[in-house]
């Protein structure tokens, strides 16, 4: 019998000390992609139903990685999981990345930027066993690596959150150049796409984040883009893009 594991811990709860608004990486991505979609998703809060089976593989691998980070033997769980989960897990475990010493796993953060908190949960923060470099890791088991990983919002926000929290992570002596962001993609083989960080890159990320948060917070109009950037968007029949670019 096949089973699936429960999801990893829920998004970080935010106990606000002030009146700042709360934004996620997905909000920044949607804002950049299509402001009309942002209006529907985050201003009107139209929550379009999604099929949870689309996320099963990623959810199960992330849960296994959570157990593995605590030193638990996951082999006993594999017999009850789907064959693609077993195969993905075995491929990933044959690579060096899940075996880097773990600093934090499923690390929830609240990054204060301008008048907002950016919130999220980072798959893993680990230390490279040879170089001592801090790796901020995002496992890609279901979805692909972003087309432009150096400037993706996930790269920028997650990197900024870790560097800003060095003290909390008990890494006070590190500087931005001691870290990198890494997408670890698992398909037939495992591929790592590494983005090195330094002070200039960190300041650029913070500037990009602050500028966009400020744009979102002062927005009063949500225009359509010149052409639709998302052919799977559920709002195509109502947003007006068919009239604009038939
Ligand atoms: S269908 Fe395209 S243009 Fe319309 S809201 Fe969605 S992403 Fe934007």
């Amino acid at each position: 019998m096949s089973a699936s594991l429960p999801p990893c811990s829920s998004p970080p709860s935010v106990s606000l000390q002030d009146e700042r608004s709360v934004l996620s990486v997905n909000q920044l991505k949607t804002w950049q992609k299509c402001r009309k979609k942002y209006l529907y998703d985050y201003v009107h809060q139209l929550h379009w139903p999604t099929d949870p089976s689309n996320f099963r593989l990623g959810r199960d691998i992330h849960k296994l990685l959570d157990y593995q980070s605590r030193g638990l033997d996951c082999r006993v769980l594999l017999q009850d999981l789907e064959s693609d989960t077993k195969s993905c897990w075995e491929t990933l475990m044959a690579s060096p990345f899940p075996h880097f010493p773990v600093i934090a796993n499923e690390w929830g953060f609240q990054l204060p930027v301008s008048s907002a908190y950016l919130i999220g949960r980072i798959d893993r923060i680990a230390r490279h066993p040879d170089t001592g470099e801090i790796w901020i890791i995002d496992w890609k088991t279901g979805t692909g690596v972003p087309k432009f990983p150096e400037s993706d919002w996930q790269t920028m926000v997650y990197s900024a959150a870790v560097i800003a929290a060095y003290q909390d992570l008990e890494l006070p002596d590190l500087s931005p150049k001691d870290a990198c962001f890494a997408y670890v993609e698992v398909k037939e083989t495992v591929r790592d796409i590494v983005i090195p960080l330094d002070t200039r890159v960190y300041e650029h990320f913070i500037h990009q984040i602050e500028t966009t948060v400020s744009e979102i917070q002062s927005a009063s109009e949500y225009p359509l883009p010149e052409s639709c950037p998302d052919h799977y968007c559920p709002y195509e029949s109502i947003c007006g893009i068919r009239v604009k670019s038939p």
Side-chain angles (χ1 to χ4, degrees):
M1 186 182 78
S2 292
S4 65
L5 298 168
C8 288
S9 23
S10 54
S13 61
V14 180
S15 171
L16 294 178
Q17 305 298 313
D18 52 42
E19 295 300 314
R20 297 182 203 220
S21 57
V22 175
L23 296 168
S24 67
V25 164
N26 276 343
Q27 278 177 263
L28 297 177
K29 286 188 180 198
T30 303
W31 176 259
Q32 187 175 43
K33 197 193 285 185
C34 177
R35 293 182 189 191
K36 188 67 90 178
K37 186 171 193 300
Y38 184 94
L39 174 71
Y40 293 137
D41 276 349
Y42 298 109
V43 180
H44 296 331
Q45 304 216 13
L46 302 179
H47 298 297
W48 207 266
T50 53
D51 181 353
S53 66
N54 293 340
F55 309 108
R56 175 193 51 78
L57 174 63
R59 186 195 58 203
D60 286 355
I61 293 293
H62 280 72
K63 192 68 201 174
L64 287 167
L65 283 160
D66 201 26
Y67 293 147
Q68 179 256 355
S69 74
R70 300 170 203 215
L72 302 176
D73 184 353
C74 295
R75 282 173 300 185
V76 68
L77 296 169
L78 291 178
Q79 60 192 346
D80 288 330
L81 295 176
E82 301 280 354
S83 60
D84 59 346
T85 308
K86 283 183 219 170
S87 159
C88 180
W89 178 252
E90 281 158 8
T91 304
L92 179 58
M93 292 308 285
S95 78
F97 308 109
H99 306 292
F100 289 1
V102 177
I103 294 169
N105 199 72
E106 296 290 337
W107 183 72
F109 65 83
Q110 301 164 24
L111 174 68
V113 175
S114 305
S115 53
Y117 284 106
L118 281 161
I119 62 166
R121 189 173 289 283
I122 294 174
D123 288 347
R124 183 167 291 188
I125 305 167
R127 191 185 287 278
H128 193 289
D130 300 328
T131 64
E133 193 175 36
I134 302 302
W135 277 45
I136 305 160
I137 298 177
D138 190 70
W139 312 111
K140 289 291 183 198
T141 49
T143 55
V145 174
K147 199 169 175 187
F148 303 106
E150 300 83 2
S151 56
D152 190 84
W153 283 114
Q154 191 169 19
T155 307
M156 294 200 277
V157 173
Y158 287 16
S159 300
V162 170
I163 292 169
Y166 270 172
Q167 201 78 32
D168 292 347
L169 287 163
E170 300 179 359
L171 304 167
D173 299 330
L174 292 182
S175 76
K177 69 175 173 39
D178 299 318
C180 66
F181 189 92
Y183 293 97
V184 175
E185 182 185 68
V186 191
K187 289 187 172 170
E188 289 75 27
T189 59
V190 177
R191 176 173 77 112
D192 60 315
I193 297 92
V194 176
I195 297 115
L197 304 175
D198 59 27
T199 302
R200 186 188 57 78
V201 170
Y202 171 63
E203 287 173 354
H204 170 68
F205 286 174
I206 291 288
H207 174 72
Q208 293 291 105
I209 295 165
E210 283 179 344
T211 304
T212 304
V213 166
S214 168
E215 272 178 18
I216 291 174
Q217 291 188 316
S218 60
S220 57
E221 295 184 349
Y222 301 87
L224 281 167
E226 279 307 308
S227 59
C228 177
D230 180 355
H231 297 299
Y232 298 101
C233 176
Y235 306 123
E236 192 197 356
S237 59
I238 60 169
C239 74
I241 195 71
R242 287 179 179 169
V243 177
K244 186 172 182 182
S245 43

